[in-house]
Amino acid sequence: MEFQMTKGLAHQDHEERARLLFGIALVSVVLWQTYIGSIILYPFTILATWFHEMGHGIGAIVTGSQFERLLIFPDGSGVAMSLRPSDGFRVTDAFIAASGPLGPAIAGALLIIASRSARATRIALLVLGGALVVSTVIWVRSLTGWIFLPAMGLGILGLALRGSDSWQRFGIQLLGVQACISVWRQFDYLFSAGGSIGGTPQRSDTGAIADLLLLPYWFWGAVISAMTMALLWWSFRIAFRR
């Protein structure tokens, strides 16, 4: 049975694989909007939060700020805390705010593109699995993160070291898709002025961008969604090009 499943994945038509991944993406987004679905997808919820908050953290590092710590709460929400100068540029703060929802889409697109070759797929899995483990040690300061992130990281590393080429390729594509769609895990957060993080009301990323760069939060939510869809489409075109 294991041989038959692996053989089936290896010979799966590119268009069929693309349709399968798009179907998984659509079902995941829909399920995330329901209570039962959020329970079923809980591990992917934690992964989506990690992608999002690491996007903020890396955005802070790139702009010269200090990424201090990352918290992931039991309800799946999270926050990345960074130290930034009080007299910093508004564009810099807007970039850090946008890095949360856009960073995962960029990373996800690169993961999907990596699936074009077996060597790149294995390297991408090693990098992602290692990043989950190392980031937990350096930045994560919450019990939920300590429990789930290293476990997922070790699982991904195991796939990179012991999995067949076909399962590695499907795994990196699935993880890439999950990273891209993580921006739509909470529509009410992306297209709102604020939300709840760890039970505490806070300004949403799009609300923060609107405060800094003008134009309403829903405009920035639409821009981020359009850019995410463009990245997903672009990565699929490259990954499944014959």
Side-chain angles (χ1 to χ4, degrees):
M1 178 64 70
E2 176 68 23
F3 170 75
Q4 290 178 343
M5 291 177 66
T6 302
K7 184 178 179 181
L9 276 175
H11 290 83
Q12 195 172 43
D13 180 78
H14 282 196
E15 291 185 4
E16 182 182 347
R17 173 68 66 82
R19 286 194 295 269
L20 172 63
L21 290 168
F22 269 119
I24 291 174
L26 180 60
V27 170
S28 296
V29 172
V30 172
L31 284 176
W32 263 326
Q33 313 313 311
T34 68
Y35 175 73
I36 294 179
S38 63
I39 295 176
I40 296 172
L41 295 177
Y42 189 72
F44 284 116
T45 297
I46 300 300
L47 185 62
T49 301
W50 178 81
F51 273 120
H52 183 102
E53 302 307 335
M54 282 300 296
H56 284 308
I58 293 173
I61 292 172
V62 167
T63 56
S65 299
Q66 182 179 345
F67 181 17
E68 192 175 36
R69 61 185 180 274
L70 189 160
L71 305 176
I72 296 180
F73 302 103
D75 63 359
S77 62
V79 61
M81 298 182 179
S82 59
L83 297 177
R84 304 196 294 274
S86 58
D87 57 348
F89 295 105
R90 296 166 68 92
V91 173
T92 299
D93 290 340
F95 175 83
I96 295 173
S99 295
L102 276 179
I106 296 171
L110 294 175
L111 292 176
I112 294 169
I113 291 171
S115 69
R116 276 194 64 82
S117 79
R119 183 172 182 273
T121 295
R122 192 171 294 108
I123 291 173
L125 286 169
L126 289 171
V127 170
L128 178 58
L132 281 161
V133 175
V134 172
S135 66
T136 301
V137 175
I138 298 176
W139 290 298
V140 175
R141 297 295 181 268
S142 62
L143 181 60
T144 301
W146 289 335
I147 292 173
F148 285 95
L149 296 179
M152 287 187 284
L154 291 174
I156 293 170
L157 289 173
L159 177 62
L161 297 173
R162 302 296 298 273
S164 65
D165 288 350
S166 55
W167 279 111
Q168 288 177 359
R169 182 171 290 109
F170 179 73
I172 202 65
Q173 290 169 348
L174 178 61
L175 290 166
V177 167
Q178 289 294 325
C180 286
I181 67 172
S182 64
V183 69
W184 299 308
R185 184 174 69 85
Q186 290 181 305
F187 273 109
D188 55 346
Y189 179 77
L190 182 65
F191 289 96
S192 69
S196 177
I197 299 177
T200 302
Q202 288 200 18
R203 195 70 167 157
S204 69
D205 293 329
T206 51
I209 297 171
D211 293 341
L212 294 163
L213 300 182
L214 305 179
L215 298 176
Y217 60 83
W218 54 263
F219 171 84
W220 296 110
V223 168
I224 289 170
S225 292
M227 293 178 69
T228 298
M229 287 187 284
L231 284 165
L232 190 58
W233 176 80
W234 170 69
S235 64
F236 266 59
R237 282 202 64 183
I238 295 177
F240 295 108
R241 186 168 56 203
R242 294 184 183 278

